Amino acid sequence: MAFQNFTAFLQETDTYLGRMSISSLRAMALVGLAFCAIATLPVAPVITMTALLAGSALVLLAAMASMLGRHRRWMNARDMALLEQLLGQSAQACALVRSCDAMILWSNATASARAGLQPGETMHTSLSVWHAEPETFITNMQARTQEEGIAHHRHDLPGHERAYQVEEFGRDQLLWRITLPPMTDWRDSLPFQMMYFTPEGRLSYASPDLRAQLGDLPFRIDMLFPRKLPETGRATWIDTPHLHGPQHVIRLHAPTGDAEIILFLPIPAAQDIAPVTTIQPQNLPIGIAHLDTQGQLLTLNDEARRLLHLRPEELPLLSDILEGLGRPVTEWIGDISTRRLARATEILRLSRSASETYLKVSLCLTEQDASKGLVAVLSDVTEFKSLEAKFTQSQKMQAIGQLAGGVAHDFNNLLTAIAGHCDLLMLRHDRHDPDYPDLTQIQQNCNRAAALVRQLLALSRKQSLQFVTLDLQETMEDVIHLLNRLVGEKITLSLRHGTGVAPIRSDKRQFEQVMMNLVVNARDALPMGGEIRIETRACPLPKGLERDRVELPPGDYTQIKISDDGTGIPQALLSKIFDPFFTTKRQGEGTGLGLSTVYGIVKQSGGYIFFDREEGVGTTFTLYFVAQPRDAKSVDSPTPAILQKSVLGTPQALILLVEDEAPVRSFAARALELQGHRVLAAESGEAALQILQDPKIRPDCFVTDVIMPGLDGPGWIMEIRDRFVDTPVLFMSGYAEDSHLAAQARIGNAAFLGKPFSLVEFTDAVNAQLRKRHEAA
């Protein structure tokens, strides 16, 4: 018993002394030395002995604390190194946490990048993005770990799950492991193979084919280039036992500057390479030129003359036909001639070319017969530069898409509240009220804002179109007000409809986006003002139409023309105008997505788009859509927000409404009460479960947001589904398609309504769910 008490005392002493700061240890040692100094004074023997004992004890304790602190720091460093070796590259998010205050002492790369677990922060702060009450969750997990030695928790989410495991790791420390859902990477869909390496040389990404070859091997960049890294932008061959056969690669720097990128170039098949029996420099497929140390061209082979766009017998200075270094080309040549510059390869732009042409120029110094000269090897890297620019732009667009996805939920909640309360105001004003046009403008611009959100989301994922039959006259008159604001005062926008124009089939809001993009394009071609004309007409093609290598089958079409009398499109750019990211605007003024978006929407709608231009005269874009039969029931046209009373033939329904955004909750509750329903409102899933603890409350329908702090919509519905098996559910969310699929896959008798929605759309969706319940009964 005494031995156990002594052991416990030593452990407590170790814990206390090991936590003392350096300043505290110094103060304790100084006090001890002071006591020892007192013992040397001529005072009473009792005081001398007491001071000597106390001083010696304090000095001894300070020495023990210093030794224990050093030992503890050594053990901590050893533990951190062991964790980094074992779990540093784990796909799980792993973190070492101090028990007393939940401070993160160490975390691996996955925890830092995907879970936001950073050393020096607390778990409460890091988990607050996932949990409404992180303190309670962390306390419960730590308590279970102390009782059982290990604790597990599984959090079901729409379409995936997140699993936690907490176990003891030494004294007063816990090891957290979080299993995250698999993360798809946008780079997997790129048409080329690549690897990403961190600044320390660790592999952070590899394309699927390369990953399959590497397996679970912890790969580093020095395993690709064991001797030294190749120059940036220079293609080189490598042969490593970890990949299948020789590889042709190019090293690049990531635009963000925090990674090395290795692009794998395609290798032609052996049978495609014809045997060469004789090699003559003049016939080589690589440009070779000889020049003097001043950059004057002396001789060139045929390929070099073709690449430099030189006429026969033309031998200019290299600096007269190449540029793009940021300094004179003659200085670069002089540095190579005098051996001041070790790197002799640059990518330069051909200055005399009408189109963007880039050449890789490698120079080397030669000496023959006491005279110096330069040999230049030239190759066309225009496609590579275009690929590099598109790759950089795709990263920017990916970042924008991720940002748009992050704000879409909150932005759609704001639009839902604005549009919903606007609809409620419109119920109290008739069309003759002077405020009615202003309310209509608010409603229409809310719809435009919702369309812009979908346009941003389309940058990061494919957006499915909701096809309806559109009456062009009503649709164009609806959008012409916004187009007039876009073109400004110096430009006249005219709209002319032909007779007998048939409806078309398309997504209404995406069709409006097509018109906006084409009108904005025409506006930018009229810097001094002018006229933009929009014309619609019926266009029967009994024999079809063949134009620009495209064949339209015979049938009836609706034709839309957008024409301007602007600057026109230069001949050199005709083949690029529909290319993604291509723009003639200055840096920062355009994304190059306008016409490519138009082309994609028109083709998805089953239509065709052509253009006619004359430089300096103007441009006309012509759209063809298959004519649809005129059916009044199927034609989509603007409808006033008229609230229809419920026609269920049943008593008032009791509806449980769960929405964390107070403005949306207020609007939805008022809309349902106007229908004659009784509404129980809750701000969270936990509050909804609290309401349903009363056995007398039996809602006829559940209306819930999908994404909420704490329990999400599908989560709290699953907890009470066994008591309300047949009760219909209406899910709402700003994450339209993902939430739609996740919610309906897990919950039966459920429908989905994407935000933002109008009052009529909301009440119609709720009444449709109630009708299902009434018909089933």
Side-chain angles (χ1 to χ4, degrees), residues 273-296:
I273 303 175
V276 180
T277 55
T278 59
I279 300 178
Q280 297 294 332
Q282 194 66 23
N283 300 326
L284 284 175
I286 299 174
I288 299 177
H290 293 266
L291 55 158
D292 62 21
T293 54
Q294 305 303 315
Q296 174 68 53

Side-chain angles (χ1 to χ4, degrees), residues 81 350 413 531 766 770:
L350 194 61
N413 274 331
E531 182 183 7
V766 174
L770 290 172

Side-chain angles (χ1 to χ4, degrees), residues 448 451-452 455 479 507-518 594 597-598 601:
R448 303 290 182 272
L452 290 177
Q455 281 295 107
V479 77
D507 180 291
K508 183 175 185 296
R509 287 171 176 165
Q510 298 290 0
F511 176 77
E512 292 173 353
Q513 188 68 44
V514 167
M515 302 307 300
M516 287 173 56
N517 288 3
L518 291 175
T597 299
V598 167
I601 295 173

Side-chain angles (χ1 to χ4, degrees), residues 622-688:
T622 305
L623 283 64
Y624 291 88
F625 293 92
V626 177
Q628 302 294 321
R630 185 172 293 279
D631 182 359
K633 294 183 180 180
S634 64
V635 174
D636 182 89
S637 59
T639 56
I642 300 177
L643 187 64
Q644 303 292 335
K645 282 288 184 181
S646 176
V647 291
L648 298 177
T650 60
Q652 294 178 341
L654 177 61
I655 297 174
L656 177 57
L657 171 66
V658 186
E659 168 62 59
D660 61 312
E661 290 286 339
V664 178
R665 187 170 66 248
S666 170
F667 150 65
R670 288 178 60 189
L672 294 174
E673 288 168 352
L674 287 173
Q675 289 277 278
H677 302 308
R678 291 180 297 131
V679 180
L680 296 174
E683 69 277 5
S684 65
E686 291 82 358

Side-chain angles (χ1 to χ4, degrees), residues 29-228:
L30 288 173
V31 171
L33 291 174
F35 274 110
C36 292
I38 291 173
T40 63
L41 298 176
V43 293
V46 175
I47 297 177
T48 300
M49 184 59 66
T50 303
L52 183 60
L53 290 175
S56 301
L58 288 174
V59 172
L60 181 60
L61 283 174
M64 288 179 59
S66 177
M67 292 176 62
L68 289 173
R70 290 183 180 179
H71 180 66
R72 180 181 292 275
R73 288 192 293 273
W74 176 81
M75 292 183 64
N76 286 342
R78 183 200 62 184
D79 292 345
M80 299 299 179
L82 181 61
L83 282 173
E84 184 65 32
Q85 182 178 1
L86 295 177
L87 301 176
Q89 301 301 318
S90 174
Q92 287 183 311
C94 303
L96 185 65
V97 179
R98 197 161 56 206
S99 302
C100 58
D101 55 3
M103 178 68 70
I104 300 173
L105 305 175
W106 169 87
S107 63
N108 67 355
T110 304
S112 300
R114 297 193 58 195
L117 304 180
Q118 301 290 349
E121 297 182 359
T122 64
M123 290 292 287
H124 309 95
T125 303
S126 301
L127 295 187
S128 61
V129 296
W130 289 343
H131 296 270
E133 297 181 357
E135 294 84 359
T136 304
F137 173 70
I138 293 170
T139 301
N140 292 338
M141 292 294 287
Q142 290 185 347
R144 287 168 52 192
T145 304
Q146 291 176 356
E147 293 175 1
E148 305 172 10
I150 189 169
H152 296 275
H153 177 77
R154 194 175 301 276
H155 189 192
D156 291 329
L157 299 167
H160 61 272
E161 64 182 16
R162 189 165 55 243
Y164 297 85
Q165 175 182 310
V166 183
E167 56 187 312
E168 293 181 345
F169 189 87
R171 186 171 42 191
D172 194 30
Q173 292 179 347
L174 299 174
L175 180 62
W176 284 69
R177 302 189 193 203
I178 307 174
T179 303
L180 301 171
M183 182 175 62
T184 58
D185 197 303
W186 60 271
R187 293 169 292 191
D188 290 351
S189 60
L190 292 175
F192 46 81
Q193 303 293 308
M194 65 190 324
M195 287 182 176
Y196 265 64
F197 292 91
T198 66
E200 295 78 23
R202 294 196 305 270
L203 178 68
S204 61
Y205 169 80
S207 298
D209 290 348
L210 299 174
R211 270 203 308 269
Q213 297 180 48
L214 296 176
D216 297 329
L217 179 68
F219 203 70
R220 297 181 55 85
I221 195 170
D222 53 19
M223 300 170 73
L224 276 182
F225 310 106
R227 295 183 179 178
K228 67 174 183 177

Side-chain angles (χ1 to χ4, degrees), residues 293-354:
T293 54
Q294 305 303 315
Q296 174 68 53
L297 289 172
L298 302 176
T299 59
L300 304 88
N301 68 351
D302 292 344
E303 180 65 11
R305 194 171 292 278
R306 185 188 68 82
L307 290 174
L308 295 173
H309 294 190
L310 296 178
R311 296 186 300 273
E313 307 304 326
E314 186 180 6
L315 296 172
L317 285 167
L318 196 65
S319 57
D320 291 341
I321 54 177
L322 293 176
E323 62 184 12
L325 275 179
R327 61 170 179 155
V329 175
T330 53
E331 289 187 10
W332 176 58
I333 294 174
D335 289 343
I336 298 170
S337 300
T338 56
R339 305 184 187 273
R340 289 195 303 267
L341 187 65
R343 179 178 177 180
T345 299
E346 294 288 354
I347 293 179
L348 303 175
R349 189 172 66 87
L350 194 61
S351 58
R352 60 169 56 186
S353 173

